Amino acid sequence: MTDQSTELLRFSTAGSVDDGKSTLIGRLLYDSKSIFEDQYEQIKATSERRGEEGVNLALLTDGLKSEREQGITIDVAYRYFATPKRKFIIADTPGHIQYTRNMVTGASTANVALILIDARNGIVEQTRRHAFISSLLQIPHIVVCINKMDLVDYEESAFEKIRDEFSKFSNKLDVKDIHFIPISALKGDNVVDRSENMPWYDGQTLMYYLENVHIGSDHNLIDCRFPVQFVIRPYNDDFHDYRGYAGRVAGGVFKKGDDVLLLPSGFTTRIAKIETHDGEVQEAFPPMSVTIRLEDDFDLGRGDMIVRPNNKPDVAQDIDAMICWFNEGPMLNRGKYTIMHTTQQARCIVKEVRYTLDINTLHRNQEDLQVKMNDIARVVLRTTKPLFTDEYRKNRITGSFILIDEGTNNTVGAGMII
Amino acid sequence: MDYQMDHLRELEAESIYILREVAAQFEKPVLMFSGGKDSIMMVHLAAKAFWPARIPFPLLHVDTGHNFPETIKFRDDLVERLGAKLIVGSVQDAIDAGKVREEKGLNASRNGLQTGVLLEELEKGQYDAALGGARRDEEKARAKERFFSHRDEFGQWDPKNQRPELWNLFNGQKSMGEHFRVFPISNWTELDVWQYLALEKVELPSLYFAHKRKVFARAGTLLADTPIIQRREEEVLEEKTVRCRTIGDMTCTGVWESDADTLEKIIQEISTTRMTERGGRTDDKRSETSMEDRKKQGYF
C-alpha cells in the first residue's frame, strides 16, 4: 500500500471571479475527497455570516485577509488533491490583478494549462492572454473547458462555435497538444462523471484527461545537461578524498561510464559513479537530484555544467530572449541587473529592446519600447560571463532565467531564451 | 525504459534541490526543528541531500517548556545519531528574564511566545536562512507561501509583496539584517509525508501511534491531561486510546481517538479521514486569519 506508484502532475488555472473557476476547483477537490469536513464547515459558517446564498467554494481558495475582504484573489495559490492514479498540484492564478506576473509564475512549472471559458460569453480578452502565456511558457498540454454548458441548454453548437474560434486563434500560437471539453462545474457534467445531458460528446471527462494525459515526454530526455549545484566534500576519515557534484538533472539521461565535457573549462572525462544516499544508480534523468562523481579530479564548482562532448549547449554572453516584466518601475534600457540562470549567477546589461508585444492582439510594437509592469518584450542582454543555454522551446530549465534588481534584490523579470 | 518518477521520489528530489540551494546561497542557515513529523522528515531529507557529508547547518528548537517529554527525548536521540548540532531557545528562560509575558487564563498557551524567542535566536546566531517544515496544504495562508520567503529586518512577512518564484530559480538575495524562511516541503501533503516516512522507514516519536492516555474534551478537541493545563470542573478525565496527528506544545495539541498503531494503519486512517490535521490545533481556532496574523509577525 505504501509503495503505490503515482505520478505527479502540475497544472495551472487562471480566471476571474465569475467564470466558475473556484467552483471547478472546489468540485475537483470535493469529488476527490480533498476537502475536509472542518474546512467545509468553516467556509459554510463564513458564507452564512456574510449572508451569501449557499456555500461559497471560492473561500477555499482565497486565503489572505485582504482577498476575503475584497472577494478577489491576489496571489498564486497552490492546491493539492490526489486520485489513486496521480497526485495533482494546482497553481491557481488570479485573472485580473498582476495577471501576467501571476499567470507566468503559475505556468512556469505546469505540465497542463487549464483554460476555462464561459459558454455564454465565449472567448474574451483574458482567454487570449491565458492561451498566449501558456504557449509562451511552453506548457506541453492545454485543456480548454467550456463551462456553464447548462446555461446554454447543453447545445453542441455553442461548444463547437467556441472550439472553432479558439482553434483559429491558437493556430497562431506555438501550442502542441490541445483538448476541448464541454462541462458544467456547478452541475458536475463531464468533470468527474460523464454527462447525460450531452450525448453528442463522446470525449474524455476532465478528471479522466488529467489522470491520463501523457506527461512522460514533458522533460527533455535527449540533450544531457547537469548544472552543478553544490560540491560535496565530507572531509572525514571514511570519505577522505570524496568529491561529489550535487545537482538536479536538467536534461537528457546520464549513465555511469558516459564520456562527459565540463563547461566552461572544456575538459573531458568520464562519469565514475552516479550516487544518491540510497546507493548507486545506473542512470539519472530529469528531475532527479543526484551526485555525480567523475573519473578525474577537476576544479568544478557551482554554476559549471556537465554535458556530453557531442551535444553542447550554447555558450553565450549575448542572450536573445522574450521577457516578462514584473516590477513597478520600467525596465531600463542599458540598465544593469543580476541574472540567475540554472545555478549560475552573473550581471547583465540590457543591450536592446527589439519590440514590446500586445498580448491581446499579438501585435509587435517597435515604436514604444518602454517595458512596463506586466509587459512582454523581446530583448537582447549582454552578460558579464558566458551562460550555458538552450532555446527555451527545447529545454524549460536551461532556457529560462530571472532578473534581479541590484538595489532592492527583488525579482523583476523572467526570461525565455530564443 | 520509462523515464518517469513516482510522486514521492519527485517531491523528494525537489526538496533535496531546495536544501542544497540553501546551503549554496546562504552563509549561515539553520533548520527549525519542532520535534514533529514534518521537521523529522526535513532532517531526514537534509541527511540525504548532503550525504556522505554531515548536514551543513545546525538544528534550532524553540522549547516552550510545555513539550511532551517524548518529544524532547526523541530530539536528543536523533541529534546524537546524526552528529548534528542542536541549539535550544527556551521560552521559560525568556519568561524568567521578563522578555515575554506568560498568557493567563483557561486557554493559556505559550505557542504565541515562541515567535519572540525564535526571532531572538535567529538574531543572536546571525542566521540568514531558517529552514521550516511548513506545507502549503496545511492552512490557507500557507497556500500562498513561497519556497524562499523573504523577511524584513523585523522578521515580518508581507504576503502582498512576495517575490514571484518561477521554474526552479530561487532568489535568495537580501540586504544586511534581513533573512529568509525556506520551506523545502511546501508541495507535500499530509498523506505524502506519511507515505514517505513509511517508504523510508523513518523512526518517529511514540506519540504519533495509538496509545492509552488520560484525556478530556474542550471545544470539540481532546486534550491530554497534564498539570500545565487548568481544567474546568465539568471537564472530566477519561482514559482513551489516542494518537497525535501533529505534535506541538501540550497546551494546544489535540489528540485523536484512534487505534492506528502502525504506519500502515496511520496511512489508512489519513486516506479516509474527513478532518484536517490542524483541526485539533486550538491555536489556529482563535480567529479565521490567526495563522496569517501570526505569520506576518514572524511565526513559523
Side-chain angles (χ1 to χ4, degrees):
Chain A
M1 191 181 71
T2 52
D3 57 20
Q4 60 184 2
S5 166
T6 54
E7 291 170 339
L8 187 60
L9 182 130
R10 299 172 202 248
F11 69 95
S12 71
T13 61
S16 51
V17 193
D18 305 319
D19 62 10
K21 184 186 60 157
S22 297
T23 315
L24 179 63
I25 292 176
R27 180 160 288 281
L28 287 169
L29 297 177
Y30 193 79
D31 286 356
S32 63
K33 299 196 170 40
S34 307
I35 296 179
F36 295 105
E37 267 168 30
D38 52 331
Q39 269 176 325
Y40 189 79
E41 290 303 320
Q42 198 183 23
I43 62 161
K44 199 172 139 195
T46 306
S47 304
E48 277 166 12
R49 199 172 59 236
R50 302 205 309 195
E52 290 176 22
E53 229 177 277
V55 175
N56 186 353
L57 284 173
L59 292 173
L60 277 174
T61 50
D62 296 340
L64 303 172
K65 208 183 259 184
S66 42
E67 295 178 325
R68 295 178 155 231
E69 282 159 8
Q70 296 168 48
I72 52 162
T73 314
I74 289 169
D75 203 48
V76 185
Y78 294 89
R79 308 283 154 201
Y80 303 83
F81 70 100
T83 67
K85 276 193 109 155
R86 275 183 178 164
K87 173 195 159 98
F88 299 94
I89 302 179
I90 312 175
D92 180 20
T93 65
H96 32 104
I97 296 178
Q98 292 278 359
Y99 53 82
T100 306
R101 165 176 162 160
N102 286 312
M103 273 191 211
V104 166
T105 302
S108 69
T109 51
N111 304 93
V112 173
L114 194 159
I115 297 180
L116 211 54
I117 300 176
D118 186 328
R120 295 169 304 172
N121 304 335
I123 290 168
V124 295
E125 189 177 308
Q126 198 185 299
T127 321
R128 291 198 184 86
R129 260 187 230 151
H130 193 184
F132 172 72
I133 287 172
S134 303
S135 90
L136 183 70
L137 273 287
Q138 289 285 303
I139 300 182
H141 318 277
I142 292 182
V143 57
V144 181
C145 288
I146 295 159
N147 189 26
K148 304 197 183 178
M149 287 300 293
D150 53 315
L151 298 181
V152 294
D153 299 326
Y154 297 108
E155 279 294 333
E156 185 176 13
S157 58
F159 170 73
E160 281 181 337
K161 186 169 161 262
I162 294 170
R163 185 192 60 196
D164 295 346
E165 197 189 336
F166 190 95
S167 302
K168 220 154 83 196
F169 171 72
S170 66
N171 281 341
K172 288 186 259 176
L173 303 173
D174 188 9
V175 177
K176 293 170 201 130
D177 176 34
I178 186 162
H179 268 77
F180 297 89
I181 305 175
I183 66 167
S184 166
L186 192 67
K187 308 270 162 131
D189 296 278
N190 289 334
V191 178
V192 175
D193 300 315
R194 290 200 63 83
S195 170
E196 289 171 10
N197 297 312
M198 291 177 273
W200 46 264
Y201 175 75
D202 56 7
Q204 304 164 345
T205 63
L206 176 60
M207 188 65 99
Y208 184 90
Y209 172 85
L210 292 173
E211 283 190 317
N212 292 285
V213 56
H214 178 70
I215 54 171
S217 323
D218 289 1
H219 288 288
N220 179 326
L221 296 171
I222 312 285
D223 310 300
C224 290
R225 307 284 183 259
F226 188 83
V228 175
Q229 189 186 5
F230 189 79
V231 182
I232 293 180
R233 303 223 51 193
Y235 298 109
N236 64 33
D237 291 343
D238 294 340
F239 296 92
H240 200 72
D241 293 318
Y242 186 99
R243 184 192 280 264
Y245 303 102
R248 210 170 177 193
V249 181
V253 181
F254 287 88
K255 295 187 178 72
K256 181 180 178 169
D258 275 353
D259 288 318
V260 289
L261 173 77
L262 312 179
L263 292 172
S265 68
F267 291 121
T268 53
T269 178
R270 255 200 296 271
I271 294 180
K273 265 185 182 177
I274 305 174
E275 291 181 328
T276 70
H277 177 267
D278 301 313
E280 203 179 329
V281 293
Q282 295 306 309
E283 299 182 302
F285 52 90
M288 283 170 74
S289 282
V290 297
T291 301
I292 289 183
R293 299 183 64 195
L294 302 174
E295 282 191 356
D296 305 287
D297 271 345
F298 290 104
D299 183 22
L300 199 62
R302 180 174 165 87
D304 295 346
M305 195 182 276
I306 301 174
V307 302
R308 302 268 284 145
N310 54 0
N311 181 341
K312 279 183 279 187
D314 293 324
V315 179
Q317 271 182 280
D318 290 299
I319 311 284
D320 192 353
M322 293 301 288
I323 198 147
C324 305
W325 195 248
F326 299 147
N327 200 33
E328 277 173 24
M331 181 180 198
L332 302 171
N333 200 6
R334 309 299 299 169
K336 293 188 183 76
Y337 299 94
T338 297
I339 182 168
M340 264 186 97
H341 169 264
T342 67
T343 55
Q344 274 254 58
Q345 201 163 306
R347 297 183 74 208
C348 70
I349 182 167
V350 179
K351 253 174 68 177
E352 188 190 346
V353 178
R354 296 209 166 145
Y355 56 82
T356 54
L357 195 74
D358 182 325
I359 68 172
N360 296 313
T361 60
L362 304 184
H363 174 72
R364 294 173 178 187
N365 189 335
Q366 291 172 321
E367 271 81 58
D368 180 10
L369 295 177
Q370 206 189 39
V371 184
K372 298 178 291 295
M373 180 145 83
N374 286 320
D375 280 355
I376 288 168
R378 171 99 178 248
V379 301
V380 181
L381 309 173
R382 172 85 186 169
T383 59
T384 49
K385 59 181 178 189
L387 304 181
F388 317 122
T389 67
D390 292 293
E391 285 173 32
Y392 185 78
R393 290 192 80 246
K394 280 174 71 181
N395 191 320
R396 288 168 91 185
I397 301 169
T398 53
S400 57
F401 61 84
I402 56 171
L403 296 179
I404 298 167
D405 184 289
E406 296 184 333
T408 63
N409 294 320
N410 281 331
T411 303
V412 292
M416 286 137 287
I417 295 163
I418 291 171
Chain B
M1 173 88 194
D2 183 18
Y3 293 109
Q4 184 72 34
M5 297 172 85
D6 79 45
H7 80 287
L8 293 177
R9 291 299 171 205
E10 187 165 343
L11 290 171
E12 178 192 51
E14 177 177 87
S15 300
I16 287 177
Y17 180 82
I18 307 281
L19 285 160
R20 287 170 172 172
E21 207 55 20
V22 169
Q25 286 198 38
F26 294 94
E27 299 272 328
K28 225 183 152 190
V30 66
L31 191 153
M32 300 187 283
F33 183 80
S34 73
K37 64 172 193 315
D38 297 311
S39 63
I40 292 168
M41 187 176 83
M42 288 268 293
V43 173
H44 181 79
L45 289 166
K48 291 186 92 165
F50 302 102
W51 177 91
R54 284 186 180 174
I55 301 173
F57 32 77
L59 315 186
L60 169 64
H61 184 219
V62 176
D63 185 356
T64 58
H66 287 174
N67 277 295
F68 289 97
E70 291 93 329
T71 306
I72 302 298
K73 178 167 186 333
F74 185 90
R75 175 196 78 189
D76 293 343
D77 292 349
L78 179 71
V79 165
E80 197 185 315
R81 194 168 68 239
L82 291 171
K85 191 178 168 217
L86 174 73
I87 297 151
V88 178
S90 165
V91 174
Q92 187 64 54
D93 290 354
I95 293 170
D96 296 345
K99 288 180 192 155
V100 293
R101 193 175 300 175
E102 180 117 48
E103 279 186 8
K104 296 266 190 313
L106 197 64
N107 285 316
S109 168
R110 290 180 172 182
N111 192 284
L113 305 183
Q114 291 179 88
T115 305
V117 176
L118 174 69
L119 294 178
E120 194 180 304
E121 285 297 332
L122 293 177
E123 202 172 303
K124 205 163 77 189
Q126 307 253 296
Y127 300 112
D128 55 356
L131 289 149
R135 310 188 319 265
R136 287 173 179 157
D137 80 320
E138 276 180 90
E139 209 282 335
K140 53 191 178 290
R142 282 184 172 166
K144 309 209 163 177
E145 183 63 273
R146 303 293 192 263
F147 281 95
F148 274 40
S149 181
H150 178 254
R151 300 301 156 105
D152 64 17
E153 65 244 78
F154 300 104
Q156 298 183 103
W157 183 54
D158 179 5
K160 282 199 220 166
N161 189 24
Q162 301 192 76
R163 294 178 181 175
E165 218 159 60
L166 301 101
W167 299 291
N168 51 358
L169 295 168
F170 298 98
N171 173 3
Q173 307 263 92
K174 61 186 181 322
S175 305
M176 283 289 283
E178 298 176 342
H179 76 277
F180 273 77
R181 296 289 173 84
V182 182
F183 304 105
I185 61 166
S186 291
N187 277 333
W188 299 62
T189 61
E190 184 190 14
L191 185 59
D192 296 330
V193 171
W194 283 111
Q195 286 178 334
Y196 182 77
L197 292 170
L199 180 71
E200 294 277 298
K201 299 185 174 62
V202 177
E203 208 181 308
L204 290 169
S206 54
L207 289 167
Y208 281 115
F209 302 94
H211 58 282
K212 283 206 181 348
R213 187 178 283 269
K214 286 208 173 92
V215 297
F216 66 95
R218 176 181 293 175
T221 304
L222 286 180
L223 291 171
D225 175 41
T226 145
I228 56 174
I229 312 181
Q230 300 174 27
R231 252 184 311 125
R232 285 198 201 94
E233 249 173 62
E234 67 272 22
E235 292 171 336
V236 284
L237 288 181
E238 279 180 276
E239 190 175 75
K240 290 195 165 161
T241 305
V242 295
R243 67 175 204 88
C244 294
R245 267 177 90 186
T246 69
I247 293 181
D249 193 281
M250 278 192 283
T251 55
C252 64
T253 304
V255 295
W256 300 66
E257 283 199 79
S258 161
D259 46 20
D261 53 3
T262 64
L263 276 173
E264 283 65 32
K265 286 186 195 165
I266 291 174
I267 290 168
Q268 184 63 40
E269 183 185 287
I270 289 164
S271 328
T272 52
T273 186
R274 306 294 301 133
M275 295 289 271
T276 57
E277 70 178 323
R278 294 193 75 91
R281 293 292 285 255
T282 58
D283 48 332
D284 288 353
K285 288 187 177 165
R286 293 188 169 194
S287 88
E288 199 172 350
T289 52
S290 56
M291 175 67 91
E292 181 182 347
D293 297 340
R294 279 180 294 157
K295 275 179 72 68
K296 281 180 183 167
Q297 290 159 13
Y299 186 69
F300 294 103

